[in-house]
Amino acid sequence: MSTEKKPYTLSILVEDTPGVLSQVARLFSRKGYNIESICAGVTTQPGVTRISVVTIGDEKMITQLAMQLSKLLLVISVDVLTGADSVQRELLLIKVNAPDKDSRDSIIQIVNVFRANIVDMARDTLTIAVLGTADKNNAILGLLEEFGILETARTGMVALERGRNN
């Protein structure tokens, strides 16, 4: 079992009950584990919510955490997802300074290369939506820094296992 610390994504199916997200987050807190990102939403199954949590740890810690989560009453299943066996994406909104035509043109070129979208255009700002991996989103942020990033909002990672396993 590897002792290398790296990011892991946990896909947790839970009963759609008030307080279940708090219960899951409390387990992380009690055990002293940090949540890098957390995202929850309904699934196609009535009464079931998927919670995607990214945390950093080693293989042993993640295995123990998955077992502890699966013992919670409202938890239906817990899957540990890796990049190879899953599709993982996050939404990033970026409001960037674009005071003149040259800046706007340069930003639009970057947006096109990253297959992002301009979702709002004001007189001196552009708001961009990027859907991608954390690496892709961090890369576009790095390129847009020179123009002046005014605000960002990130959803947190959502993930599904590849193939037909569920």
Side-chain angles (χ1 to χ4, degrees), residues 1-153:
M1 215 173 258
S2 172
T3 58
E4 174 192 356
K5 290 195 182 261
K6 62 182 185 178
Y8 287 88
T9 302
L10 299 169
S11 179
I12 309 162
L13 290 178
V14 297
E15 293 177 23
D16 189 9
T17 305
V20 69
L21 183 62
S22 172
Q23 203 177 69
V24 168
R26 221 175 10 258
L27 179 88
F28 277 80
S29 177
R30 269 197 327 266
K31 300 297 179 183
Y33 303 140
N34 190 41
I35 294 173
E36 298 295 316
S37 82
I38 188 167
C39 193
V42 297
T43 66
T44 56
Q45 299 172 288
V48 177
T49 295
R50 180 181 309 278
I51 302 172
S52 298
V53 180
V54 177
T55 190
I56 295 177
D58 60 33
E59 205 172 329
K60 181 180 177 184
M61 180 206 112
I62 296 303
T63 302
Q64 288 176 337
L65 183 58
M67 286 190 322
Q68 291 163 346
L69 283 165
S70 64
K71 291 179 185 176
L72 294 176
L73 286 178
L74 299 174
V75 171
I76 299 165
S77 69
V78 179
D79 291 315
V80 179
L81 305 178
T82 64
D85 66 1
S86 65
V87 177
Q88 301 186 22
R89 299 291 185 269
E90 75 173 341
L91 173 65
L92 168 63
L93 295 176
I94 311 161
K95 187 184 294 181
V96 65
N97 195 31
D100 54 50
K101 184 181 179 338
D102 289 341
S103 295
R104 278 191 295 282
D105 289 346
S106 295
I107 293 167
I108 289 168
Q109 282 184 322
I110 293 169
V111 167
N112 289 336
V113 166
F114 280 83
R115 295 188 184 136
N117 296 300
I118 296 172
V119 294
D120 185 62
M121 183 180 284
R123 189 168 193 212
D124 58 353
T125 64
L126 294 173
T127 302
I128 300 155
V130 189
L131 181 65
T133 63
D135 288 343
K136 174 184 176 179
N137 291 350
N138 290 335
I140 194 170
L141 279 171
L143 290 173
L144 293 173
E145 276 180 354
E146 73 177 83
F147 299 98
I149 294 173
L150 304 173
E151 287 183 86
T152 64

